Amino acid sequence: MYIVMLAYKAPIEEIDYLLPDHMEWLSKHYDAGHFLCSGRQPTRIGRVIITRPMPRAKLEALLASDPLDMARMVRHEVVEFEATRTAPELARVNEALAS
């Protein structure tokens, strides 16, 4: 799994202009089963995405297709981890998604 931290490199007004395209990109990858959750940081300095496990090269390709990345308005920090423990409610969500 990965935690992807997106840090804005452009003024928020420019980011806001591309957010509808970014949201459409997110929806596409939720529908494909790549992403588990996402959202903005409360200070609006960036966003966070938590992904399902996948090869790192595939994740890099997905991130490169983000409209914010294509416009060079974000920097990605990617943290890879293996979940060894989850809250019971997450286990139920994962079971429901798998069926």
Side-chain angles (χ1 to χ4, degrees):
M1 299 178 77
Y2 299 94
I3 299 172
V4 182
M5 305 289 294
L6 288 76
Y8 296 149
K9 299 186 332 182
I12 197 66
E13 297 80 21
E14 292 179 36
I15 299 295
D16 285 344
Y17 179 76
L18 283 178
L19 276 183
D21 295 336
H22 173 76
M23 296 303 172
E24 185 177 320
W25 173 83
L26 282 172
S27 292
K28 173 183 166 184
H29 292 292
Y30 273 107
D31 292 346
H34 300 141
F35 298 161
L36 295 173
C37 66
S38 61
R40 68 179 185 194
Q41 295 179 41
T43 56
R44 295 207 69 198
I45 60 169
R47 304 186 75 78
V48 177
I49 302 170
I50 299 178
T51 76
R52 290 188 181 278
M54 67 183 75
R56 177 70 180 249
K58 180 176 181 174
L59 175 63
E60 295 292 342
L62 296 179
L63 295 175
S65 70
D66 178 357
L68 291 173
D69 186 75
M70 294 171 64
R72 293 180 167 55
M73 291 188 184
V74 294
R75 182 183 73 255
H76 298 107
E77 178 185 348
V78 178
V79 177
E80 185 174 5
F81 75 102
E82 294 180 19
T84 56
R85 188 172 179 183
T86 61
E89 58 270 20
L90 278 181
R92 287 190 295 275
V93 169
N94 283 333
E95 289 169 10
L97 291 173
S99 56

